[in-house]
Amino acid sequence: MAKILVVDDEQNIRDVFKRALENAGHEAIVAENGIVGQQMFIDHKPDIVILDIIMPEQEGIATILRLKSVDNSVKIIAVSGGGMGNAVDYLDNALKLGAKAAFEKPVNLDKLINKVNQLLMM
Amino acid sequence: MSKLRFLFLENNSVDAKLIIDELCTFGFLFEHLLAYNKQDFLAGLKNFNPHIVFANYMLPGYNGKEVIKEIINKHQGIPIIIVSASTDEETVVECMKLGASDYILKNNLTRLGIATKSALEIVKLREENRKVQEEIKAREAQLLQSQKMEAIGLMASGIAHNFNNILQVVVAYIDFAKEGLKETDQRYKDIEQINQHIKRATRLTKSLLAVGKEQLMTKNDIDINDIMKPIVDITNRTTQNNIKVKFITQENLPTIIADGSQIDQVIMNIFLNAKDAMPTGGLIEASTQHVFLDKVFCSNNAWAKVGEYILTRITDSGAGMDADTKSRIFEPFFTTKDVDKGTGLGLSTAFGIISQHNGLLNVISEKNQGTTFEIYLPLT
């Protein structure tokens, strides 16, 4: 069992990701924006962070940089539904900045859980 | 400069010679046509294409007022100078009111040269003014179009973002709902159906994100014919829809720097539209050529910069479009096709792609006259 932090500004998405992770036998903790997520990362030391990119307060790209400054080996899975630019661009930047994986929303839950498990083994 | 063309309506050949001499002395270089009567005059207006008309006021059966009305009604823009022996003030005023440029007395031709010069200058200024107005109009229209596309793109991407988040939740609950169900279970099959439609919705939001916004481009040297030929071949080989393609190209067409797969998408889309416009079959004429867009072209087309372009033309023999449809075809979600046939995003995406390549996608069409798409892509 691993501890996974889900950072997303939408409650419904936090709920379903949490449920899917728990169904897969993991512990899931959630945060509603980058600032809260960053604090939870420091407090709870999760094994993996599933991170939305477009969020109010502190968005995902800045959050990646902050999390990496806390722990350079952090394992981040970036997810984005696109927005004022192309989802692919954001995710591309997320990968360049050190995210281990990136998915466009909507992502199939099996795929997401498989990626979580794969990263845990690394 | 080419010679000016002066048309004279004068039944007195001595007077005509005096008038023509006066204009020569003033320094005009012109060729002239002398009409002695109404019939010759009307033919001259039509065939000689004069820059200016000099008319005697009193001709048997044809007076100056009629001359002015004829020109104002049917040959607008040609200045008329009345050259008359009559000094009746009322006539002069009336002629000027009707639209004559000037009124010169035969016994005092000294003012004729300067009057002619200023009448021609006014025409020139009017023409320049008209061109400027047209250019302003064209630029305004283009600005409006790009602002419209930008606003639509912004709106579309905002909707797509929110919609993708909703889809994410739906996709998750579909997974949860399937838990514990056997694949043979009817409920499992129903849920799978929902899944299939979610995939359609996902594709739609992806194309929404592509509308009116920068897409990642992988630019290479490409030969437009490498894209055209396979599309032409496959269309010609597909026999059931009774469509033939005639493709004409230039030898040694230069390459362009472009994203091949995006250009392929644009051309494919135009071919599909052409096919849809010809349900009972027909001819698609396609061509590629190397063109140079000069200053004149660029001054009439705000998007263009002077230089070399590849022009690809695709013309169908289909139903064509009315003006209203034509003005809207690049708008997202505008479609004349059945719901299951088109999303209305194909041409707006195509327009975005070509604009991003600093080119232009242009459409020429009239109802029942077929449709031509022109793609201008710069060489560099």
Side-chain angles (χ1 to χ4, degrees), chain A residues 5 8 17 34 40-42 50 66-67 69 71 75 77 85 89 95 98 100 107 110-111 113:
Chain A
L5 170 62
D8 197 303
F17 282 0
M40 288 185 80
F41 181 72
I42 295 165
I50 297 175
R66 304 244 159 94
L67 295 186
S69 71
D71 174 3
K75 292 170 178 171
I77 300 174
D89 297 351
L95 287 170
K100 300 279 188 238
V107 53
D110 289 343
K111 265 194 201 165
I113 300 297

Side-chain angles (χ1 to χ4, degrees), chain B residues 55-59 62-69 80-105:
Chain B
N56 184 356
Y57 186 80
M58 294 298 283
L59 232 67
Y62 196 44
N63 75 27
K65 275 184 268 179
E66 287 173 84
V67 173
I68 297 168
K69 281 181 191 161
I80 315 133
I81 293 179
I82 300 291
V83 189
S84 173
S86 163
T87 55
D88 173 11
E89 197 179 327
E90 220 170 279
T91 311
V92 177
V93 171
E94 204 167 349
C95 286
M96 298 303 287
K97 266 190 179 166
L98 283 170
S101 297
D102 214 328
Y103 196 105
I104 305 287
L105 293 176

Side-chain angles (χ1 to χ4, degrees), chain A residues 13 23 81-83 104-105 107, chain B residues 157 161 164-165 168 179 206:
Chain A
I13 290 180
N23 284 353
E104 283 179 66
K105 282 179 186 172
V107 53
Chain B
S157 63
H161 172 78
N164 280 338
N165 276 333
Q168 179 65 73
E179 269 167 39
K206 283 227 170 78

Side-chain angles (χ1 to χ4, degrees), chain B residues 152-192:
Chain B
I152 286 168
L154 214 58
M155 195 187 77
S157 63
I159 293 172
H161 172 78
N162 287 320
F163 208 73
N164 280 338
N165 276 333
I166 296 169
L167 287 177
Q168 179 65 73
V169 178
V170 177
V171 162
Y173 280 108
I174 283 170
D175 269 13
F176 299 149
K178 279 200 299 195
E179 269 167 39
L181 292 178
K182 288 200 187 98
E183 283 182 30
T184 49
D185 196 321
Q186 185 57 43
R187 264 196 298 164
Y188 186 98
K189 287 178 192 160
D190 292 345
I191 292 169
E192 256 318 295

